[in-house]
Amino acid sequence: MTRVAELLARRRSVRAFRGTPVPRAEIEAILTAARQAPSGANLQPGRFIALTGAPLAALTDALTGAAAAGRPHVSQYSYFPDDMTPDLKERQRAAGYALYEALGIARRDVAGRRAQFARNYRFFDAPVGIVVTIRADMGKGCFMDLGLSMMALMLAAEDRGLATSGIGALANHGDVAAEQLGLPGGEIVVCGIALGHADPDAPVNAVRTERLPLAEYADLRGFDES
């Protein structure tokens, strides 16, 4: 197995972190690696705003406050399908059930589920929170290129012994994040990324979601069976 294959197999979404700080030099190296991802016409769309300490605390306070107040979601792009088909819904439910089971949260424990979801807005208490943004006038292909950069970022972090978790929920209150960060007009919040040292003793970090068998998502033609 190659080094890249090992990193891909090892990487997982981590939702419990140690408080160990991550040096600026480490973050700079990871973000530099992220920008090496392929980019159509070399547009290199999107930005990564990395926060720690007081700036991160101010952002999480603003986000958790908005969520607790029941502020309406204002995501500026569609993350999930408008009409989720049964097979996709089943995958979503299975992932949720695995997460809540690891945390000991019963299926009917609405308060417990809400409390766990609210941890998204605290970047799961990671020492580094990254806000991912993109210009609103970028095309769908640019979102794809940004996703490639995010994957490169996560693998670069994994290579350095650090863990990550993407946080799509951050876009629910993208306007709050944009105001807190002073983003220019026309720049939208895509998601967040929690980054830090994983807590190896946290049950939630043992959760692994299953991936589809190759035959369900790939069609190989003209190849030998060998």
Side-chain angles (χ1 to χ4, degrees):
M1 185 180 290
T2 66
R3 177 64 173 165
V4 173
E6 290 175 357
L7 291 173
L8 285 167
R10 194 173 72 201
R11 193 214 65 81
R12 67 183 68 185
S13 294
V14 165
R15 296 180 176 87
F17 295 84
R18 291 174 173 172
T20 310
V22 181
R24 178 187 177 113
E26 288 279 285
I27 299 301
E28 289 183 347
I30 290 168
L31 295 178
T32 299
R35 193 47 91 189
Q36 302 307 308
S39 173
N42 200 33
L43 297 185
Q44 304 178 54
R47 289 204 300 152
F48 300 106
I49 303 170
L51 309 164
T52 194
L56 178 59
L59 176 60
T60 57
D61 285 348
L63 291 169
T64 53
R71 184 162 174 161
H73 292 179
V74 294
S75 180
Q76 294 172 287
Y77 73 103
S78 176
Y79 193 101
F80 295 112
D82 293 331
D83 184 16
M84 196 172 293
T85 56
D87 60 319
L88 297 179
K89 193 68 177 178
E90 180 56 33
R91 290 178 209 164
Q92 181 188 43
R93 287 173 175 166
Y97 291 156
L99 172 63
Y100 294 130
E101 183 178 5
L103 291 166
I105 300 174
R107 294 189 181 187
R108 295 186 179 182
D109 183 358
V110 177
R113 291 182 173 220
R114 286 177 177 170
Q116 173 60 28
F117 187 82
R119 298 192 67 242
N120 283 280
Y121 301 124
R122 299 205 309 270
F123 291 84
F124 301 112
D125 298 314
V128 177
I130 300 174
V131 179
V132 183
T133 71
I134 195 170
R135 279 172 33 189
D137 60 353
M138 290 293 183
K140 292 181 179 179
C142 289
F143 275 79
M144 179 176 68
D145 287 356
L146 177 57
L148 293 172
S149 289
M150 290 174 59
M151 189 70 238
L153 185 158
M154 291 178 176
L155 290 180
E158 189 73 35
D159 189 43
R160 291 173 173 270
L162 296 165
T164 58
S165 180
I167 306 174
L170 203 71
N172 292 341
H173 297 295
D175 58 334
V176 175
E179 180 179 358
Q180 183 67 35
L181 297 173
L183 298 184
E187 187 168 356
I188 65 175
V189 172
V190 176
C191 65
I193 299 175
L195 187 151
H197 295 275
D199 180 352
D201 300 321
V204 69
N205 287 342
V207 175
R208 294 300 300 264
T209 51
E210 295 183 359
R211 292 299 185 259
L212 294 173
L214 181 66
E216 290 193 30
Y217 66 87
D219 185 355
L220 280 66
R221 305 182 184 189
F223 294 93
D224 293 335
E225 290 299 324
S226 60

